Amino acid sequence: DREELERALDGAREGGRIACRLRSKEGTWVEVEWTCLTSPDSGMRYLKGADVTGRRPVRSALEGSRETILALFENAAQGILTVDAAGCILSFNAMAERLFGYTREEMIDKTSAIFYESEEDWKRIGSEAYPLILKGGTYQAEVRGKRRNGESFWMRVTGSLVDPADGTKGSIWMI
């Protein structure tokens, strides 16, 4: 209602957004998102409205997709981690925690070198993998891994880019 919009505008900051439902002339409900802007000429604040009624189903579908993807990531039978372009771990799933014995909190922003039996293996995998995956390929190798408790084990690593069109978005690795 008008009073609610006026209160929102009074408390709004530049670029702030407000959402509400309004009844159209036809009697249907329309969802409107208002953005608070300031005129560069007069300094007067005003609201710019956009009909976002059609976004709700899309937003719901995206949220459902996100939940599904997170469930797949967390419940995968393989260890999965994502690594940024600088080589630091961005995400680390539950199976990777079980495989290596580290929590995700311990591994975020660390390198994956700790998962290899030797630094030479880690360097070799990097020097073999990245030229291939930066061209859009998928890298696979079997190498000795190392758990937190020092136990060695054979692991198959598979790596590819998160976005084959943009190597700066990092890589995803499955163990």
Side-chain angles (χ1 to χ4, degrees):
D1 78 14
R2 183 177 177 84
E3 290 174 7
E4 184 179 339
L5 283 175
E6 286 176 2
R7 270 194 316 275
L9 181 57
D10 286 342
R13 64 186 193 290
E14 182 69 18
R17 295 181 189 271
I18 312 159
C20 67
R21 285 182 1 145
L22 300 174
R23 191 179 295 274
S24 71
K25 289 188 287 187
E26 295 81 24
T28 60
W29 287 100
V30 178
E31 292 185 42
V32 180
E33 183 176 272
W34 301 92
T35 303
C36 181
L37 301 169
T38 303
S39 169
D41 299 328
S42 67
M44 179 181 259
R45 288 191 309 168
Y46 64 96
L47 291 175
K48 178 182 175 187
D51 180 352
V52 295
T53 307
R55 291 184 190 170
R56 178 173 275 179
V58 172
R59 188 174 292 134
S60 293
L62 285 173
E63 287 170 5
S65 294
R66 184 178 189 281
E67 289 172 9
T68 299
I69 290 167
L70 283 173
L72 288 168
F73 178 77
E74 279 306 315
N75 296 299
Q78 289 183 305
I80 302 173
L81 52 129
T82 58
V83 178
D84 68 14
C88 294
I89 295 170
L90 298 173
S91 62
F92 194 73
N93 77 348
M95 181 55 83
E97 286 183 316
R98 289 192 291 279
L99 278 171
F100 295 108
Y102 295 93
T103 67
R104 68 191 74 207
E105 291 79 16
E106 291 174 294
M107 294 315 304
I108 300 302
D109 293 329
K110 305 282 191 311
T111 71
S112 60
I114 199 167
F115 304 140
Y116 292 85
E117 192 172 63
S118 70
E119 189 171 338
E120 292 77 30
D121 280 347
W122 179 68
K123 287 178 179 178
R124 180 181 56 80
I125 295 294
S127 66
E128 291 173 1
Y130 281 99
L132 175 64
I133 68 174
L134 287 171
K135 293 178 185 171
T138 298
Y139 177 80
Q140 287 191 356
E142 287 190 13
V143 65
R144 298 289 292 172
K146 184 172 71 176
R147 293 185 169 87
R148 180 183 201 141
N149 66 8
E151 177 187 355
S152 291
F153 67 102
W154 281 103
M155 63 180 182
R156 174 176 288 276
V157 295
T158 303
S160 61
L161 291 179
V162 169
D163 179 352
D166 186 357
T168 65
K169 292 183 179 174
S171 55
I172 185 165
W173 293 86
M174 289 167 269
I175 315 305

